[in-house]
Amino acid sequence: FFVIGHDRGDSARFLSHPVKHDPANANEVQAKLELLRPFNILARGLEPETDVGLGQESVAAKALLDGLLQGPFALLNPGARLGNRRWSPAAYATVAKALVSRGLSVLVVWGPGEAPLAEAIAAQAGRGVVVAPATDIPMLAALLRLAVLCVSNNSGPMHLAIAVGTPTVGVFLNDDARRWGHLLPGF
């Protein structure tokens, strides 16, 4: 079997295929693509892609939305595993109000332990803003595929939104946009 990773000194002895990291690749996507070198695999580009959310969950997502929202909608993801990557609920509520004033409904999604955060945003934003029920990754991907816009903190759902092709505004509170942002037009 293969164990591939960046050659980081002594830890390289645990790798069957240590890969030299190019320090010019400060972005994580580019750095991870370096790990394809031992197999002579060329990257197809910097845009992530996935088929997640295209199965039965896409039908379930449409049914869920029929009961919750009217017309086109934006999806807000105010959560993040790390607290210092979370934009304030008040800021998200302001964005939600602005999106509603432009004719969009807003769906606020949340992860484990984040339901009160989503509920606070919806309460502050008011009309046209709805909290999603609990979702798993396939359902979240299906919802993202149906959204016209995603606004998300630097988190897994932000990367999933990019991978399913949803126009995305990534919120970076620290100086880590260069490292974790996507090097794509419009992002």
Side-chain angles (χ1 to χ4, degrees):
F1 70 98
F2 300 102
V3 180
I4 302 166
H6 283 112
D7 184 347
R8 300 195 194 282
D10 289 340
S11 65
R13 65 190 167 137
F14 298 107
L15 304 173
S16 63
H17 293 78
V19 176
K20 183 170 174 44
H21 172 61
D22 179 353
N25 288 336
N27 181 269
E28 285 295 317
V29 172
Q30 291 174 309
K32 298 307 183 239
L33 289 174
E34 292 173 342
L35 300 176
L36 297 173
R37 273 193 237 135
F39 301 105
N40 293 319
I41 298 173
L42 298 176
R44 292 190 300 197
L46 297 176
E47 188 170 346
E49 56 189 78
T50 184
D51 291 338
V52 175
L54 290 175
Q56 193 61 27
E57 58 276 356
S58 68
V59 174
K62 289 176 185 169
L64 171 72
L65 293 173
D66 283 343
L68 285 180
L69 302 174
Q70 301 287 334
F73 74 99
L75 186 145
L76 301 186
N77 174 57
R81 184 177 54 85
L82 300 174
N84 66 350
R85 290 188 176 176
R86 288 185 182 175
W87 205 19
S88 74
Y92 268 104
T94 299
V95 168
K97 287 178 192 177
L99 292 168
V100 168
S101 75
R102 287 167 176 78
L104 294 175
S105 294
V106 174
L107 182 66
V108 184
V109 297
W110 49 277
E114 297 172 343
L117 172 65
E119 291 163 0
I121 291 165
Q124 284 181 331
R127 181 187 57 80
V129 181
V130 177
V131 176
T135 60
D136 58 13
I137 299 294
M139 178 61 100
L140 176 60
L143 291 170
L144 284 163
R145 288 180 186 281
L146 296 169
V148 298
L149 174 70
C150 173
V151 179
S152 177
N153 292 322
N154 176 17
S155 62
M158 178 196 76
H159 300 292
L160 184 59
I162 297 293
V164 302
T166 304
T168 302
V169 175
V171 178
F172 292 86
L173 300 178
N174 302 316
D175 190 24
D176 56 352
R178 182 171 174 222
R179 179 176 178 194
W180 296 104
H182 290 270
L183 304 173
L184 303 170
F187 183 81

